[in-house]
Amino acid sequence: MSELKKSIIETFGITEKEFESIKGFFKQKKIKKGDYFFQTGQYVPHLGFVENGILREFLYENDKEITKWFSTSGFFAVDLTAFIYGQKSKVNFQALTDVNLLTLSKENYDAIGEKIPRWDKLEKMFLTSCFSVVEDRIISHLSMNAEERYIQLFERQPQLFNQVPLNHLASMLGMTPETLSRIRNKLSKPIS
């Protein structure tokens, strides 16, 4: 719970007292490697906060899996549109390792406003933060070449490169596994 507390206080600027008033809304959930938090076509009744482990967010496009994101320790995992609007998910969240989550139901998410009167402003900050991540990903795919995207991900989340299959990393970076291998080999060679 301490990682969640730290993340919520830093992300939303709430006080420790405000956090204490809502911490009971979060419930523990364990997901075994290979199992799903939720899948395409299911309603999304919870958002998850990853305490530890790795969830892969992916979708199917023309019978091909496309990795959209990895939720690791300290990150939220949710199909935000489906969660907020009570729609069916367009993506899957599958555990690449055993995962410990703290989940928040839609009902409890909506009830936060009763506990924290300034939740409307804080929720805007949360949603803006989520969309900023998406915007950054779009900009990097439009303005960076494959090697620059690889370096950026490696600098931000180096642990992924030891724990995630390379084909999933390549998919998220918008490149083929062969291109990813060439970049890794190029960057790992000492400069002479």
Side-chain angles (χ1 to χ4, degrees):
M1 188 72 75
S2 63
E3 187 69 32
L4 174 69
K5 179 178 179 178
K6 177 183 173 201
S7 181
I8 288 182
I9 288 173
E10 288 177 2
T11 302
F12 300 108
I14 69 171
T15 66
E16 288 198 29
K17 183 178 178 182
E18 288 172 323
F19 176 78
E20 292 300 317
S21 73
I22 63 167
K23 77 177 184 181
F25 287 172
F26 292 87
K27 306 298 178 206
Q28 287 278 343
K29 181 175 181 77
K30 294 183 184 294
I31 302 173
K32 295 237 181 258
K33 179 180 178 177
D35 290 346
Y36 289 84
F37 178 38
F38 56 82
Q39 293 179 271
T40 301
Q42 291 180 327
Y43 287 99
V44 181
H46 299 92
L47 66 77
F49 179 83
V50 180
E51 286 189 297
N52 59 55
I54 301 172
L55 286 172
R56 177 174 75 112
E57 181 181 356
F58 71 98
L59 56 110
Y60 292 101
E61 184 73 33
N62 299 323
D63 295 326
K64 183 179 174 185
E65 288 184 7
I66 298 176
T67 300
K68 185 177 167 200
W69 185 254
F70 298 102
S71 293
T72 57
S73 179
F75 283 91
F76 287 93
V78 66
D79 179 335
L80 194 57
T81 303
F83 179 72
I84 297 293
Y85 294 109
Q87 299 172 349
K88 292 180 180 179
S89 179
K90 296 180 211 75
V91 297
N92 303 283
F93 273 90
Q94 184 180 33
L96 295 180
T97 64
D98 288 346
V99 176
N100 290 327
L101 289 175
L102 291 167
T103 64
L104 178 67
S105 70
K106 178 68 166 96
E107 180 181 36
N108 282 337
Y109 178 87
D110 292 338
I112 291 175
E114 297 168 19
K115 299 283 187 181
I116 303 175
R118 59 193 181 106
W119 176 243
D120 287 345
K121 288 182 181 179
L122 299 175
E123 182 183 35
K124 282 181 188 176
M125 288 173 55
F126 171 66
L127 296 174
T128 301
S129 174
C130 292
F131 287 112
S132 292
V133 170
V134 172
E135 186 177 52
D136 287 348
R137 291 263 336 270
I138 291 168
I139 290 169
S140 74
H141 276 274
L142 294 174
S143 65
M144 299 172 123
N145 65 36
E147 186 174 318
E148 291 168 332
R149 290 193 307 272
Y150 174 94
I151 291 168
Q152 181 184 58
L153 180 63
F154 187 81
E155 288 173 349
R156 290 182 178 174
Q157 292 185 286
Q159 76 280 9
L160 293 178
F161 290 80
N162 293 326
Q163 298 177 322
V164 172
L166 293 181
N167 61 319
H168 297 328
L169 286 171
S171 176
M172 189 186 105
L173 289 167
M175 62 182 76
T176 65
E178 294 77 20
T179 300
L180 179 67
S181 290
R182 277 194 301 275
I183 291 170
R184 285 183 69 180
N185 288 336
K186 176 184 173 187
L187 295 175
S188 65
K189 290 182 181 176
I191 299 172
S192 46

